[in-house]
Amino acid sequence: MAEAMDSDGTQDARGTHADRVPRPAGPPQVPPRPAQAPGTPPPTDGSAFLAWLRTPRPEAAPGVWRFGHLPRPEEEPERIPARQLISGALIAFLVGWLIWSLLWNGYLGGWWLLPLYAMIPDSWAEPHSFGSVVVVYAYYLAIALGIMVGVGRLGRWNEVWRRYGVPAWRRATPAAERPPAPAEDPAQWNQVRAAGAAEAADRLGAEARSGRMRDVDHARISRAWQGVRSGRHSLATFTGAVLKDGAAACLHPSGDRDLPGRLARHDLVTGQVRIGTTADDPRNPYAYRGTGLALGPELLGTSLLAVGPAGSGKSGRVVRPLAESLCLHALAGRAAVVVVGAAGAGLGPVDAYDVVVRVGNPESVYDLDLYGGTTDPDEAAAVLAEALVGDLADPHPGGDSRRSTTVLAQLLGPYRAVHGRFPSVPELRRLLDGAPEPLRELRKGLTDSGQDSLLRELDARERQLGHPGDVGGVLADRVALLDRPAFAGFFDTSGQSRPFSLRALDHPVRVRIDLPERGHADASRMLARLVLAQFAASVSVREDRSLFACLVLDDATGVITPGAVRGIQRLRSANAGAVLTLRTLDDVPRALRSPVLGAIGCRMALSGLTPWDGQDFAEVWGKEWTEARDVTDRQIIAETPAGKAVHMLRRVITGNAPTARAVTVRQVERERWSASELAHGVPPGHAVLSLTGVRGEHAPPLLVDLRDRHE
């Protein structure tokens, strides 16, 4: 039953999932370190998993690592320096002691005993009376307590107690958490039990307590249960799979229950991955200072752009954790991920992916579908035109490549009608060059089949050949970049290879595409534009949009075009997102910098940014009202001889003239982060990150330490 179900609980009726083909053979990988000695049975205690599952995850602001988070107040409380606090408390104690000593020894008179004499009867005034002793010492105690309360409030003893007393020790050493009530215990699977599947809930609870369940298993089965609640499959199918396989029910088609190794810290209950810690900096809101900074699908759904020079940590500290997290989500049946980068960019081991496309590598098992798996010539022409000449279109946001799309459609439609497939790269190049023989064969095939409408398309293409302004030559030159010996075995359309199509994003697939940047930089940028265009076109026509789809593009140089900006804007409504990195915003046309920063919800500026790039970020982050304090020192002029003598003595002692300080507080509007601060004020290994969620939540620019991923 488990093999017949997708990881989201649905049955794969088509049987064309890209994950079902054999995994490509890659270079030998170093095996992971075993968890125990060989021959040792695995631990049967599930206490670690139960502790992880039962850890509270309170609602928090966007980007806050919710696992075990302790909320902080919105405003920073007034914190007195320790030296001033301790000295004030000690002085208050001495003052109270002095007052009590003066009262006790009679230096202040006996007036403070008059209320006592007025309240007690005369018979209690006899010597050695028990009643008189009790009442008198109770009165002394009340007076002492009154003095203590007064000096304690002046000396802030309550703050000393909170900061250095038992409450501080309790915060430093948290008490052992009590197990939650059965009705609130997530390990009991109460929702499954309440739906009538008590046996399945008991089996899952036993798997969790025995240590056979992992975080990916919990997330995957929770996803399958969501499929039951939404009606995608029946409760009986879910119950049968759980009773048969336990924690291994509803497996991912690859059969994997975890990744070969993890570098980042993940929480699959909330879907977050921790990428750093928000710095304890005055420029950060107090509620964020010192908290973990995490990203998840609810933030990546608005897309992420990270800009920083080489060596600033884009790939290792941002892209790699996000790719790892999305692969875990894919194993749980929640996401489909496509990771694109240069060969050897360190985007994870081969075993962490279901499909690995090595463009230009003859050992690659998978090929890349040049036309995105579509059978519509117009759609294929639009995507291919964006890849070939999208960077040559008018960089104005309204610019497009419609003329190139028309030229390609005039050739792709007739060719598919005659041959039943789209042309290969060499064939497409010859058609765009206007070679007589291929065009003559197309005309003959269309004439024999009576395709009059397509004949008119071919006639229009032939009339445009050689005319000024014809973009066919430019398209042919761009296609020539792919018609190289290194790519001879790729982009095959004859059906003899295994082309991967982004139409497979209907399933929780993990894909990595390695681009041949070495020696083929222009072709790599063209292929990156092709993948982005195909991704934007594919996710918008998916049947199941509950599956989050994400494209991770390690280097987006030359990829940002007017069409790409429009595609990124549409991803949010399709439950999809993109992660893009750039070395500098100079790799984006000037007219597109503001539109792309506006289309992307999460923006990251890493250390080492140039002031010109910082200016663009400063403009998009805007300004805020802040409190400015102006301090003015005014020299005091003495008019009397005594005053002049005192001023002279003060000048001799301090070396400065006597001054009077005036402080003016006013509200001013200033940039959240200026271009100079972004260029020179971000420490190495840090970044400034602003966040926007898919539901509209947003966080201001935060200074984040990307080197600290763990608590």
Side-chain angles (χ1 to χ4, degrees), residues 311-345:
S312 58
K314 300 187 300 298
S315 298
R317 294 170 180 164
V318 179
V319 173
R320 176 69 184 272
L322 291 178
E324 188 176 279
S325 175
L326 292 168
C327 287
L328 289 174
H329 281 286
L331 291 180
R334 295 175 174 177
V337 56
V338 179
V339 181
V340 182

Side-chain angles (χ1 to χ4, degrees), residues 549-679:
C550 189
L551 172 66
V552 180
L553 192 54
D554 186 47
D555 186 5
T557 301
V559 176
I560 306 300
T561 64
V565 174
R566 289 190 293 270
I568 292 173
Q569 291 173 336
R570 294 191 296 265
L571 294 180
R572 182 172 176 177
S573 60
N575 192 23
V579 178
L580 311 175
T581 67
L582 290 170
R583 294 184 179 90
T584 173
L585 288 177
D586 289 338
D587 294 332
V588 179
R590 165 55 66 180
L592 292 178
R593 294 181 192 177
S594 296
V596 72
L597 289 174
I600 291 178
C602 303
R603 313 170 189 97
M604 177 183 290
L606 289 92
S607 60
L609 212 65
T610 64
W612 298 272
D613 290 345
Q615 183 63 40
D616 293 321
F617 278 100
E619 291 179 359
V620 74
W621 282 331
K623 300 180 179 180
E624 64 178 346
W625 289 99
T626 184
E627 187 179 87
R629 300 171 62 90
D630 296 333
V631 180
T632 304
D633 289 335
R634 178 179 59 84
Q635 184 176 356
I636 302 175
I637 306 299
E639 299 179 356
T640 63
K644 293 181 180 180
V646 172
H647 285 190
M648 184 179 298
L649 179 62
R650 184 174 176 181
R651 185 191 297 271
V652 171
I653 295 175
T654 63
N656 297 319
T659 58
R661 174 167 295 181
V663 179
T664 303
V665 180
R666 54 193 177 92
Q667 294 290 328
V668 297
E669 191 178 20
R670 291 181 177 174
E671 291 179 327
R672 298 178 184 271
W673 280 82
S674 67
S676 179
E677 288 176 331
L678 290 172

